Amino acid sequence: VTQRKSSKRMAAINRTANNKCFGGWVQRFTHQSSTLNCEMTFSVFLPPQYESQSATPAIYWLSGLTCNDQNFITKSGAQRAAARHGVALIVPDTSPRGITDIEGIDKDWDFGLGAGFYVNATQAPYSKYFHMYDYITKELPSVIHSNLNKIDSSRIGITGHSMGGHGALICALKNPGMYKSVSAFAPISNPTQCPWGVKAFSGYLGSSDEQKREWSAYDATELVKQYRGPELKVLIDQGLDDNFYKQNQLLPENFVKASEGTPVSAQLRTHDGYDHSYYFIASFIDDHIDHIADALKITN
């Protein structure tokens, strides 16, 4: 697959892997991120239609706690449905990497490395690196569209799992019209009201009363109440044997209730016996690719 050569005005990317898959190509790239002040890695799946289509729609996948760009690419099996629809997959990492000047940055599995929570940190020392919201919505799309020149920036969807489901929801709600469709697996839907979210937001955004008032800017359940953009159909799948769901870390019902009366139509499907793992994601990923492909007006 041919990439456009980078000019001085483009963010240079370096391809480190290239594997054929369902007639297309799974590729891995590194690049220097000016938003996160470190080298970042992302993976893509370019469907077999990429070479023949003048413009290829794409779906961003945001992963959950402890993950990197490889978990979804290697475990979900999403390439089959993506190849059928002729849609690319773009899979970033979940946090900045290679940080050496923040003590204890890798101490906790639910905060720091692998746990960027898709926010722009305002609190030192994290504010030097942790601007994952801007990376996902601004820098990475620019890098993609500059170097993978057949990706159609006007036909983009977004989805994700757990922390990444939270990320997908807030990115769509905070940027009306940018993403034509959104879905999520077991998303952290109301982070200001769950232990994971309180811990992350306290560290990245601050915990004073005044700072807590800013948390709602990254809470999908709060954002959806104010959403006035184009109609948005949201598909959410939740396993009922998910321990984090049982521990009230996810709270998808809160999001669905808050969306009532807004331009957001939220469908929550629950599934007996399924947990929080990639076995759950692999079982229903085709439905999510179909859901987003339909909104991108892709016919197979």
Side-chain angles (χ1 to χ4, degrees), residues 24-155:
W25 295 92
V26 171
Q27 301 182 334
R28 200 178 193 199
F29 296 94
T30 60
H31 75 106
Q32 190 64 33
S33 168
S34 59
T35 300
L36 304 178
N37 291 306
C38 66
E39 184 179 81
M40 290 295 287
T41 302
F42 65 90
S43 292
V44 301
F45 170 68
L46 301 178
Q49 300 90 332
Y50 182 79
E51 286 289 3
S52 59
Q53 293 177 153
S54 59
T56 298
I59 298 172
Y60 281 75
W61 169 273
L62 305 185
S63 292
L65 293 165
T66 75
C67 293
N68 60 23
D69 64 295
Q70 289 289 280
N71 299 73
F72 179 75
I73 282 289
T74 59
K75 295 181 179 181
S76 71
Q79 294 92 334
R80 183 191 300 271
R84 174 164 50 84
H85 284 294
V87 60
L89 303 174
I90 300 169
V91 188
D93 204 342
T94 56
S95 79
R97 298 287 178 174
I99 298 171
T100 59
D101 58 347
I102 299 180
E103 185 177 355
I105 192 64
D106 58 353
K107 177 173 67 73
D108 294 339
W109 66 273
D110 56 357
F111 183 82
L113 292 187
F117 263 84
Y118 304 103
V119 303
N120 289 338
T122 58
Q123 302 303 296
Y126 309 106
S127 55
K128 179 180 178 180
Y129 301 102
F130 283 78
H131 294 268
M132 286 299 294
Y133 174 75
D134 278 354
Y135 178 71
I136 296 299
T137 60
K138 297 177 182 179
E139 184 179 17
L140 183 57
S142 177
V143 169
I144 292 292
H145 302 315
S146 293
N147 292 278
L148 300 172
N149 59 308
K150 289 186 177 182
I151 297 294
D152 185 352
S153 60
S154 70
R155 290 192 294 160

Side-chain angles (χ1 to χ4, degrees), residues 188-209:
I188 303 173
S189 304
N190 197 180
T192 62
Q193 302 302 314
C194 76
W196 275 342
V198 170
K199 178 178 180 177
F201 287 8
S202 296
Y204 293 134
L205 304 175
S207 57
S208 71
D209 289 343

